[in-house]
Amino acid sequence: MSERFTGSFTQQEPIPEAGIEAATEMLRHGRLHRYNLTPGEVGAVALLEQEFADFVGARFCLAVTSGGYAMATAMRAAGVAPGDRVLTNAFTLAPVPGAIAGVGAVPVFVEVTDALTIDTDDLAARAGGAKWLLLSHMRGHICDMDRLMRACADAGVTVIEDCAHTMGGAWAGVASGRHGAAACYSTQTYKHLNSGEGGFLVTDDADLAAHAVMLSGSYMLYQRNGAVPGPEAFEKVRYETPNMSGRMDALRAAILRPQLAGLTAQCERWNQRYRVLEAGLRGTPGLQVIERPGDEAFVGSSIQFLLPGWQGGAVEKVLARCLARGVELKWFGAAEPAGFTSRHDSWRYAPAQHLPQTDMVLAGLLDMRIPLTFSLDDCVLIARIIRAEVSAVWQGVAA
Ligand SMILES: *Cc1c(COP(=O)(O)O)cnc(C)c1O
């Protein structure tokens, strides 16, 4: 009988007790709106904003309803206008091109490399007058940020970062999200902090911050926010900026604050699991692990590997055989979008593009979540199962 893994790939850890207590207290008094405060009280959302700004080292932080909302708001606040072309990664998830479409702009996809990061040369080639890049650090892979920022500066492109998978990560010692004009994070259940839904926008730009705060639906109460510029930044902005409600509520902030306090330790736990999986997969015939650059401090909340040059049918066999043994892998090469996974040719509201390099990488790209409910032993077992099933199919193909 072959070994089977019986854990759940979608089961996260419980909310810390301190978060449950804070949330319960809040439910008892009922003041869940971020601006519903007693005299002199600093709200939970404002405290969280200050704490998150400190965590990444940003001047300003705004807590909002989702990562997708943060991206759309960052683009609007930065000045992206309807019809503008916005460069973005061809390898990302649907909320990224969705946020671009949401502001009436046009997604322009840039090829991915086999390190799963944006191809900076292709970026320069496709920029063609585009002024914006929504850079998605997809699955936590961070490109050479120094090179990318130079290329964007040369091309006159403003960078907004999607850090949904890099909260807690860094490039060459600089926190992920501190390179671009603004950065966006998600606190949706499957990301690094869990409030069901939620997000952050950070920036050092006072004007961008003031616009974002007004857009989020601050009314004239913006000085109750936690990490906002002073009143002077709002003088004109407050009359000119539409209210597009997307505030975070106090209940989510209450459960996020203790999680944020423990985030660095959690990132370490993700990386321990990642390293065990990576070591177990390395050297499997026909399988290529993704080598991580020395400058990249990543958060291993998921793992990817390549089956380069494999036929689709053989990849599907690996998926089915792993699933039969309890290991859920996602494939980015599937023709049809499924579950949370889709790719550029399924986003048909965007102009179709020829992306041969991306298509080749995605055809062999497998992806797996690493919830912290997995033990290190679980990771040893999962790697053993993947290794056995990839080897079995590989041998069958080679025979
Ligand atoms: C989840 C995710 C987002 C947005 O997050 P939501 O909070 O669900 O809107 C953005 N980018 C990527 C790559 C994501 O995976």
Side-chain angles (χ1 to χ4, degrees):
M1 259 266 298
S2 56
E3 301 173 293
R4 222 176 162 280
F5 177 64
T6 54
S8 164
F9 282 81
T10 51
Q11 182 61 57
Q12 306 291 23
E13 290 188 303
I15 303 303
E17 278 308 318
I20 296 174
E21 274 169 34
T24 306
E25 191 187 322
M26 217 161 260
L27 290 170
R28 293 221 157 89
H29 65 56
R31 292 187 301 275
L32 304 188
H33 191 286
R34 69 168 297 164
Y35 298 128
N36 186 191
L37 304 170
T38 54
E41 184 188 2
V42 180
V45 184
L47 290 168
L48 176 67
E49 285 168 336
Q50 188 54 63
E51 288 157 1
F52 194 75
D54 292 345
F55 178 77
V56 294
R59 287 179 70 198
F60 309 119
C61 173
L62 172 68
V64 294
T65 47
S66 74
Y69 183 89
M71 291 189 286
T73 302
M75 284 186 280
R76 282 202 180 91
V80 175
D84 281 2
R85 296 163 70 243
V86 178
L87 298 155
T88 194
N89 307 57
F91 171 48
T92 187
L93 287 177
V96 180
I100 296 171
V103 302
V106 181
V108 177
F109 300 114
V110 179
E111 298 265 36
V112 71
T113 69
D114 61 6
L116 306 188
T117 53
I118 198 161
D119 183 331
T120 312
D121 296 330
D122 189 57
L123 174 84
R126 290 190 200 243
K131 291 187 303 192
W132 312 100
L133 168 63
L134 180 56
L135 174 65
S136 183
H137 303 295
M138 176 63 174
R139 286 298 187 254
H141 297 273
I142 306 177
C143 69
D144 181 335
M145 288 302 295
D146 303 316
R147 182 156 178 256
L148 178 101
M149 293 309 294
R150 266 197 311 275
C152 288
D154 290 347
V157 168
T158 298
V159 180
I160 293 168
E161 296 182 74
D162 164 23
C163 301
H165 303 164
T166 54
M167 183 192 286
W171 178 264
V174 178
S176 185
R178 301 301 299 130
H179 293 87
C184 308
Y185 303 80
S186 170
T187 62
Q188 187 236 76
T189 295
Y190 300 107
K191 313 298 164 89
H192 299 172
L193 299 177
N194 175 11
S195 58
E197 305 284 356
F200 296 111
L201 185 168
V202 304
T203 182
D204 284 350
D205 180 325
D207 187 59
L208 197 161
H211 276 96
V213 168
M214 291 306 300
L215 285 165
S216 79
S218 66
Y219 301 92
M220 297 301 144
L221 303 171
Y222 42 81
Q223 290 304 321
R224 294 188 192 172
N225 280 47
V228 274
E232 63 291 346
F234 289 86
E235 249 167 48
K236 269 182 71 200
V237 171
R238 65 189 193 146
Y239 297 106
E240 292 172 352
T241 313
N243 175 328
M244 302 191 180
S245 276
R247 296 168 302 274
M248 182 181 279
D249 58 274
L251 194 54
R252 293 188 211 185
I255 67 173
L256 287 171
R257 292 185 61 214
Q259 292 181 58
L260 178 57
L263 180 59
T264 303
Q266 295 292 76
C267 292
E268 191 42 47
R269 293 177 63 220
W270 265 305
N271 288 350
Q272 287 168 350
R273 283 155 183 75
Y274 182 96
R275 290 301 185 192
V276 168
L277 284 159
E278 182 187 50
L281 294 179
R282 192 182 288 283
T284 305
L287 180 152
Q288 192 176 311
V289 302
I290 312 292
E291 301 300 344
R292 313 294 306 236
D295 277 333
E296 182 197 39
F298 63 94
V299 181
S301 53
S302 69
I303 190 164
Q304 294 69 43
F305 58 87
L306 293 168
L307 301 178
W310 285 46
Q311 295 298 315
V315 177
E316 279 173 338
K317 266 190 205 153
V318 170
L319 291 173
R321 293 176 67 125
C322 287
L323 188 60
R325 296 181 65 182
V327 174
E328 263 180 60
L329 301 174
K330 308 287 179 215
W331 182 33
F332 277 95
E336 286 298 318
F340 286 111
T341 311
S342 58
R343 65 177 189 200
H344 66 90
D345 52 354
S346 332
W347 308 324
R348 294 183 195 162
Y349 50 84
Q353 275 179 250
H354 187 53
L355 294 151
Q357 182 179 311
T358 297
D359 292 342
M360 197 172 69
V361 172
L362 298 188
L365 179 59
L366 293 180
D367 172 53
M368 194 188 95
R369 279 202 185 108
I370 312 178
L372 287 175
T373 49
F374 290 3
S375 67
L376 295 180
D377 285 344
D378 288 339
C379 295
V380 172
L381 170 62
I382 291 167
R384 197 155 62 220
I385 290 172
I386 297 173
R387 189 182 190 94
E389 298 307 331
V390 168
S391 302
V393 176
W394 178 251
Q395 278 157 19
V397 169

